[in-house]
Amino acid sequence: MTAGVSGLTWAQLRDVKCAELEGAADGWGKASNRADAGRDRIEKQLLNGLRDTQQGAAADAAVRRLRQLSLNLQYVYTECGLVRTTLNSLAHEMKAQQRALREALEDAQALRFTVHADGSVTYPEGGEGLVDGKPLPGGTASANGAPGLLPPSGLVAPNPHAARAQDIADRVAKAVRTASEIDWRFARILRKLKAEEGLKVPDRTWTDAAGDAAMVRDVAGGYLRSGIPYDAGPAERGAWWAALTDEQREEYLAVYPDLIGNLDGIPALVRDTANRDNLQLLIGKLEGRDDARSETQLAGLREIDRQLQAGRRPGEPPMYLLGIGDEGNGRAIVSFGNPDRARNVATYVPGLNTSLDKEFAEGDLKRARDTAIGARYYDPSSAAIVWLGYDAPQSPDGWHSLDVMREGRAERGGASFHQFMGGLSSTNENSDPHMTAIGHSYGSRTVGAATQHGGSIPGVDDIVLVGSPGVGVDRAEDLGVSKEHVFVGAAENDVVTRLPAKQQSVVGIAAGPLAARLLGDAADQGDDDLWFGRDPASRSFGARRFEVDEGPQLIGSGGLSIDAHSRYFDPNRDAVSANNIALITAGRSGKIKPEEYR
């Protein structure tokens, strides 16, 4: 193949002005930034001002129109950012081929070879014949042929210039061929980056935007993705982000909001910005699917989006979306209050049957919100997070489940939680922030697993365990903090806090833990062992047990109920427990109401 067969010549490749491509990219970047600034003004000034000062049908209509305009500007921001990165990536890849071509041409010039328009290379006579000692004739090498003239017999040595000329011809041809492929690939992508006509951005447009983002990610992998420090620690990731130029940050946010938004060690405001954009892309991605998993996750994503769009009500802390994803059973990390600025930060890990669905978006987010509101009553510089960063066990049969009886999910989740808390610790702006890890149900086993990575959870001062079936250790001091800083809430009628130990669980395995509970002493052998180790509410475990409401009985007038397992955070259904958790979160654990050990 000659250098010009593809339609591009080496002279054209040499003369490509990559600076003009980068200039065009800058122009698209400015358009993207303006759209982002407009969206930001709508969200932070206009909508908040309307909600605070106006009421009635006209105000509601204005809010709806402003919200639609904000979504439109978000789409403009995303698409213009994708065009910018596509052009920059095109320039980046073309520069690499220009360098390869330039090096080949420089080698030819140094050897006094001639590179022709078609990419062939003429070399002079050289060496000497074995018989007569005369210089061997020169020739021409091309990328699709043998170099120079073939020797008439095996007694004649080859011209030493032939192999060098052939190498140069091959390098020229390869640079031109690769550049042609790059040109074709990027032209196809740029033709696809276009929006529908009209002023409104419907849901299907976000589906298209999700496809656009995936397409640009594929083509820009070498340009951007390879630079993300996945294997570094949270502090190193933060330093990497801080060292980027504004333009580089903008490109990462536009093309990889999913990666930047879920990268521990990146500031909360940046993660929130990235994840709000990725949330729309995920909604668009799942919108066209009809499988049960996608529909379930889509309902959860839409509810989170609704709460983000609604804004905070008076007395509530602002929401920050610190993580979102559709892998496994779904991922979502939501903070109420800025965790980088708050002196007190609590992170709550949910347990059994938690997944990215509408129930999580309504119930588990409310638990974090209630905790933040309660803690801010005692110290306004407080934030609370719900962390769904792992696949909690799923079972329609509740605790009669093989997944929940095992510890693998807790171990994997514990490693991820450990890393997340390390990120929070590194980005918090206070010199000595007070951090609390809260584990509920199987989530308490996950918190317990997190403490075994390096001996403690980074930055965590206090640990709260509620509705716990055990945490994997037998003593409070084995959780990486002193036993005075481990707190336990266990409702009298919470069956999960009375699961029998594995070695005592013949009844539990055969009939299910609920049936075992009903059989009383058949499952409870009178010691302090639960399914995942020593009962955290026992004296032998050594934690500080705090008062909670006993909760409704397992069997009442309405039939079977495990409602006692789900009330710990609710100030309306269990005010004493919710207040105790708020006090611990706010660093006021000396004021909690204690309860006797079991």
Side-chain angles (χ1 to χ4, degrees), residues 186-259:
F186 277 88
R188 179 174 58 87
I189 290 171
L190 288 168
R191 280 194 294 268
K192 290 184 177 181
L193 292 176
K194 59 182 181 180
E196 297 181 19
E197 294 184 1
L199 296 177
K200 187 175 181 180
V201 179
D203 288 342
R204 66 178 180 274
T205 305
W206 281 108
T207 301
D208 179 64
D212 291 345
M215 180 175 59
V216 174
R217 286 173 191 163
D218 288 341
V219 77
Y223 171 59
L224 287 177
R225 183 165 186 161
S226 59
I228 301 175
Y230 299 105
D231 298 330
E236 289 80 5
R237 291 172 176 176
W240 165 77
W241 181 260
L244 295 176
T245 65
D246 288 343
E247 181 181 349
Q248 288 171 323
R249 293 174 189 167
E250 291 161 3
E251 287 198 77
Y252 275 113
L253 288 172
V255 181
Y256 291 113
D258 55 334
L259 301 182

Side-chain angles (χ1 to χ4, degrees), residues 39 57 95 104 119 123 145 368 378 416 450 466 472 474 503 508 514 545 547-548 571 588:
R39 177 186 61 170
K95 282 180 178 180
Y123 55 92
Y378 296 106
S416 298
V466 288
D474 291 332
Q503 62 269 26
L514 292 181
R545 188 180 181 192
E547 184 179 344
V548 303
R588 307 290 196 273

